[in-house]
Amino acid sequence: MTSLTLVRRIKARPSIVFDALTTPEGIASWWGPDDGPVLQAESDPRVGGRFRVRFRMLDGSEHESSGEYLEVVKPDRLSMTWRWTGGAEDPGESLVEIRLRAVADGTELTFTHSRLHDEETRRGHEQGWTGALDKLERLFL
Amino acid sequence: MVNYHERLDRVFAALVDPTRRAILARLEREEGASVSALARPFAIKLPAVMKHLDVLDDAGLVTRSKLGRTVTVRLRPEPMREAMDWLRRYERFWSKSLDRLAAYAESKEAEARKKRR
């Protein structure tokens, strides 16, 4: 499966990190690939609830992503479906999973975005190709 | 002209198979290889290897050229770069976002501590 995992250590307790991830105010303060503004943030963090975020990038382009919360366990776990809405971005639905773990100086956050672009691979065997990309990256770059 | 996302679909679908990844890895090490040479390390028959090569060819990952009776397979790395650029965009998106999330949560933590005093 095509997936991406990032880990961050944050000097804040898990419940604060969790709120930053799920409240509209929190989302509006961090969401987006550059320092462009979040234009709209809606979030209903309960199982079956939805989120929607619209942001503008510094190049002026506007994008929107939305999805449904699948798992909301404050302050430990959060997962949601994720897709671009409107525009020419990637079609298809992917999965975002966030795990928060209390550590001595705050929180260790593990973020995974998976099922990226693998409609076909999911239908085929579940043979993961995680790791393959790393190897191929080494080969081709 | 196949569009960008269809191209990516084909590349990712091609990469999911370990035999095809092994073929690509070998072609990266060698300048080019004949079909029979490529088939040799695998416990599968030549027609099965040909099928894998068809998938890789459709994804634009290899080219095949025939000289006499020998078909030489060569790697075409461009679609792979395109696929990695695509994945890297997500990585940038989330990496930047999580950096800001951390800064925001840390400022909230500092506020909470001030209030408690």
Side-chain angles (χ1 to χ4, degrees):
Chain A
M1 284 208 302
T2 319
S3 72
L4 169 74
T5 299
L6 298 166
V7 180
R8 287 283 188 284
R9 285 227 169 193
I10 302 173
K11 291 191 191 68
R13 70 197 81 167
S15 63
I16 285 179
V17 176
F18 194 91
D19 287 344
L21 284 164
T22 51
T23 60
E25 186 217 344
I27 289 170
S29 70
W30 58 265
W31 192 283
D34 62 20
D35 291 326
V38 169
L39 305 172
Q40 203 177 3
E42 293 165 15
S43 171
D44 178 16
R46 54 198 167 122
V47 174
R50 298 191 62 83
F51 72 90
R52 192 165 72 90
V53 187
R54 189 162 182 79
F55 62 93
R56 186 187 297 138
M57 287 177 64
L58 293 176
D59 67 7
S61 63
E62 291 185 11
H63 309 268
E64 185 180 296
S65 42
S66 65
E68 182 185 330
Y69 289 106
L70 302 175
E71 195 183 28
V72 182
V73 185
K74 186 176 176 176
D76 306 315
R77 287 205 309 271
L78 184 70
S79 64
M80 61 244 208
T81 63
W82 203 87
R83 65 161 67 234
W84 293 107
T85 19
E89 279 95 352
D90 301 321
E93 194 170 73
S94 49
L95 178 69
V96 169
E97 292 169 290
I98 298 163
R99 299 285 173 267
L100 302 178
R101 192 167 68 88
V103 290
D105 57 346
T107 304
E108 186 186 80
L109 179 151
T110 305
F111 173 96
T112 305
H113 198 164
S114 61
R115 297 187 193 163
L116 288 162
H117 230 294
D118 66 349
E119 288 298 317
E120 282 187 77
T121 58
R122 242 178 309 162
R123 260 179 269 131
H125 34 133
E126 280 281 318
Q127 201 116 32
W129 70 287
T130 317
L133 192 76
D134 295 342
K135 280 176 224 153
L136 288 163
E137 182 160 17
R138 181 174 53 73
L139 295 172
F140 287 102
L141 294 185
Chain B
M1 173 83 188
V2 184
N3 83 36
Y4 176 65
H5 290 295
E6 283 173 34
R7 264 200 326 269
L8 282 179
D9 277 340
R10 289 184 190 180
V11 170
F12 285 121
L15 288 174
V16 84
D17 183 272
T19 304
R20 291 198 287 269
R21 292 202 299 269
I23 291 174
L24 289 174
R26 173 152 177 204
L27 289 174
E28 203 278 333
R29 291 193 303 271
E30 298 169 23
E31 189 65 17
S34 69
V35 174
S36 52
L38 281 176
R40 219 165 288 141
F42 302 110
I44 50 176
K45 296 238 155 54
L46 205 57
V49 172
M50 296 298 277
K51 265 186 199 160
H52 283 308
L53 290 173
D54 286 343
V55 175
L56 291 171
D57 202 335
D58 282 347
L61 289 164
V62 300
T63 59
R64 285 178 285 194
S65 53
K66 194 169 180 182
L67 188 67
R69 293 179 59 194
T70 310
V71 175
T72 303
V73 185
R74 285 190 179 81
L75 187 71
R76 242 187 107 241
E78 291 83 2
M80 180 68 77
R81 288 205 189 101
E82 193 172 63
M84 280 187 297
D85 286 346
W86 175 86
L87 195 61
R88 235 177 254 124
R89 276 210 304 277
Y90 274 100
E91 188 178 355
R92 268 200 301 275
F93 179 97
W94 289 117
S95 192
K96 283 276 186 187
S97 292
L98 294 182
D99 285 348
R100 275 194 306 267
L101 168 81
Y104 173 81
E106 285 171 8
S107 74
K108 287 283 165 188
E109 176 70 43
E111 270 176 37
R113 286 187 186 198
K114 234 182 255 170
K115 265 184 213 156
R116 213 188 295 156
R117 261 176 224 157

